[in-house]
């Protein structure tokens, strides 16, 4: 897949020079291999999202290695399992920056982990590419290369969609994960809601490993909400939607990117058609220019039947190919400085239509609400589809 991308965000180009300074070592590089490490939840409550994301990255890198690697080097992709635990993420960060030093890191997808690691990331001058969650912390760090829409952009997109669907004076409850990004989401949605004349009834926190959310649903019912916004990972989303069905709360759900994927709609049951997820990335089986390339690679790997509707797989595929293309652009004399310069190439990276193009040459993250698409489940076709006329 040809790659060039143009994400717009809040990080100005002035950070470009800062990010390159002092990063001219060949850490993680030998004459025959380059080490890249993924840090994410591979077996815990968010594995439905993060493990799938990793599998997409791995497919792109495996394909590059099968073709001889990049500039004479194979890509050695390491995988560290956080189990959704911040202390474990810190341990893995130390491992892949000292014990098994890597040229770059992928993942670290949770806001609390970035809060614990952002100073270390800047001190190590290690690029962290494509976290699936984007918050104020990730946007402020010039070594973090966001490819997902940030929360302010998501809040803008979701409130506009709610306005078109529900009109004015809607009562909206907020269900949110009990992390820093959950705090940020509640504040952002409260700020955006008055613009569409919506009333925010309050927030209900959900633990990442929750298996039910009966108390939260009961409060939403007492508040007589017309809709719920959701910011959580797959575990929290499943708990909320199952409890909504058993608790008789039949209202639309508008989710941010964290829970987007087949798991969200499978857990929604009878609420599937009124459950919406807002994401910068489309599922693999979407009608986009890059589908043939991705489908061919997935079928060859035996992953198409399992992951064809999972946008997290497509997102991983895109980020894996961005890494491969950046290694090519960095050239044979591979250093971290050369790799960072390649990541910030002015031409950016095309994504085959699976997202807006990604471009880190000037800004960091996706700041244009038009890049955030609404998806829901079509019972007729049994597919996750983009909503074009809400």
């Amino acid at each position: 897949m040809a790659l060039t991308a143009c994400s717009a965000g809040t990080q100005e180009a002035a950070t470009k020079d800062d990010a390159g300074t002092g990063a001219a070592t060949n850490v993680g590089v030998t004459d025959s291999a380059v080490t890249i490490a993924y840090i994410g939840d591979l077996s815990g409550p968010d594995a439905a999202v993060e493990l799938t994301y990793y599998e997409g990255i791995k497919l792109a890198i495996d394909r590059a290695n099968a073709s001889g690697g990049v500039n004479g080097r194979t890509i050695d992709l390491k995988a560290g399992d956080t189990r959704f635990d911040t202390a474990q993420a810190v341990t893995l960060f130390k491992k892949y920056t000292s014990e098994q030093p890597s040229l770059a890191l992928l993942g670290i997808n949770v806001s609390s982990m970035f809060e614990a690691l952002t100073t270390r990331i800047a001190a190590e001058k290690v690029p962290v590419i494509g976290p699936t969650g984007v918050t104020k912390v990730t946007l402020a760090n010039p070594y973090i290369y966001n490819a997902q829409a940030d929360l302010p952009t998501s809040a803008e997109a979701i409130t506009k969609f709610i306005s078109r669907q529900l009109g004015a004076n809607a009562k909206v409850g907020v269900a949110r994960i009990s992390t820093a990004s959950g705090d940020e989401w509640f504040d952002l949605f409260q700020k955006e809601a008055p613009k569409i004349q919506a009333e925010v009834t309050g927030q209900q926190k959900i633990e990442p490993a929750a298996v039910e959310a009966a108390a939260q649903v009961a409060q939403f019912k007492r508040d007589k909400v017309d809709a719920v916004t959701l910011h959580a990972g797959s575990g929290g989303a499943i708990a909320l939607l199952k409890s909504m069905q058993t608790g008789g709360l039949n209202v639309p759900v508008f989710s941010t990117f964290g829970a987007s994927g087949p798991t969200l709609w499978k857990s929604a049951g009878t609420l599937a058609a009124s459950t919406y997820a807002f994401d910068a990335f489309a599922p693999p089986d979407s009608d986009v220019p890059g589908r043939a390339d991705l489908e061919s690679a997935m079928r060859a790997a035996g992953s198409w039947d399992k992951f064809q509707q999972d946008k997290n797989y497509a997102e991983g595929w895109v980020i894996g190919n961005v890494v491969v293309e950046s290694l090519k652009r960095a050239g044979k004399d591979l250093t971290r400085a050369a790799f960072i310069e390649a990541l910030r190439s002015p031409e950016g990276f095309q994504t085959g239509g699976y997202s807006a193009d990604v471009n880190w040459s000037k800004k960091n993250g996706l700041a244009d609400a038009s890049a955030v698409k609404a998806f829901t489940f079509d019972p007729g076709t049994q597919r996750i589809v983009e909503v074009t006329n809400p």
Side-chain angles (χ1 to χ4, degrees):
M1 183 174 76
L3 283 165
T4 67
C6 63
S7 55
T10 62
Q11 187 74 30
E12 295 298 335
T15 60
K16 175 182 176 181
D17 295 333
D18 298 336
T21 303
T25 65
N26 62 345
V27 60
V29 179
T30 68
D31 290 342
S32 60
V34 53
T35 299
I36 306 286
Y38 177 84
I39 298 175
D41 184 359
L42 304 179
S43 63
D46 204 37
V49 171
E50 298 187 48
L51 176 59
T52 305
Y53 178 54
Y54 167 75
E55 292 292 344
I57 291 171
K58 186 174 182 296
L59 179 66
I61 288 177
D62 284 348
R63 188 176 72 160
N65 284 336
S67 299
V70 180
N71 296 330
R73 295 183 179 90
T74 57
I75 304 170
D76 183 9
L77 178 63
K78 306 292 186 182
D81 185 4
T82 67
R83 302 186 298 276
F84 211 88
D85 180 73
T86 296
Q88 179 66 7
V90 173
T91 297
L92 289 167
F93 180 86
K94 293 176 181 177
K95 175 180 179 179
Y96 293 127
T97 55
S98 58
E99 299 169 30
Q100 298 178 31
S102 302
L103 178 74
L105 301 177
L106 305 171
I108 315 180
N109 302 305
V110 181
S111 59
S112 58
M113 296 176 187
F114 273 114
E115 287 194 324
L117 288 170
T118 187
T119 300
R120 297 173 187 262
I121 291 167
E124 291 285 346
K125 298 181 171 64
V126 56
V128 179
I129 306 165
T132 59
V134 180
T135 67
K136 290 181 287 187
V137 173
T138 65
L139 288 170
N141 191 321
Y143 293 96
I144 299 173
Y145 294 81
N146 302 293
Q148 183 56 266
D150 59 64
L151 286 179
T153 302
S154 295
E156 179 184 352
I158 289 175
T159 51
K160 288 180 178 178
F161 189 93
I162 290 174
S163 177
R164 291 193 295 268
Q165 274 227 329
L166 303 181
N169 304 314
K171 298 177 69 175
V172 184
V174 177
R176 39 137 310 189
I177 193 170
S178 56
T179 63
S181 68
D183 293 334
E184 185 176 342
W185 174 252
F186 181 60
D187 291 342
L188 286 166
F189 189 73
Q190 277 192 306
K191 181 180 178 180
E192 291 292 325
K195 298 178 183 179
I196 62 166
Q197 297 178 296
E199 175 190 348
V200 179
T201 62
Q203 61 175 322
Q204 295 296 313
K205 297 182 181 181
I206 302 176
E207 294 300 321
V211 295
E212 59 86 26
Q216 293 89 335
V217 167
Q219 184 59 54
F220 287 143
K221 289 184 71 176
R222 286 191 290 270
D223 292 337
K224 298 181 179 180
V225 300
D226 300 307
V228 173
T229 68
L230 169 65
H231 176 68
S234 58
I238 292 170
L240 176 70
L241 287 164
K242 286 186 174 180
S243 292
M244 284 179 65
Q245 292 169 78
T246 57
L249 181 60
N250 186 12
V251 299
V253 174
F254 304 94
S255 174
T256 60
F257 47 78
S260 181
T263 303
L264 180 72
W265 284 281
K266 286 178 181 177
S267 61
T270 57
L271 302 177
S274 59
T275 297
Y276 303 90
F278 295 77
D279 206 288
F281 288 85
D285 67 354
S286 300
D287 297 324
V288 298
R291 171 173 171 164
D293 192 25
L294 176 53
E295 182 174 350
S296 174
M298 289 178 70
R299 288 192 182 279
S303 58
W304 178 256
D305 290 343
K306 183 177 182 180
F307 293 114
Q308 62 182 286
Q309 292 191 15
D310 200 316
K311 75 90 193 179
N312 298 295
Y313 198 99
E315 184 173 354
W317 165 258
V318 167
I319 295 303
N321 277 290
V322 167
V323 169
V324 171
E325 180 61 25
S326 297
L327 289 171
K328 290 178 181 177
R329 295 179 187 181
K332 288 191 174 183
D333 186 17
L334 180 60
T335 64
R336 187 173 281 170
F339 183 69
I340 287 174
E341 184 177 357
L343 286 173
R344 294 179 172 271
S345 299
E347 63 267 38
F349 303 87
Q350 292 178 352
T351 69
Y354 281 109
S355 73
D357 289 348
V358 179
N359 192 312
W360 295 306
S361 66
K362 295 181 179 180
K363 298 187 178 184
N364 210 350
L366 289 167
D368 184 353
S370 66
V372 181
K373 301 174 182 179
F375 295 91
T376 192
F377 184 77
D378 182 353
T381 62
Q382 293 290 297
R383 292 180 65 202
I384 297 167
V385 295
E386 182 181 352
V387 182
T388 55
N389 294 299

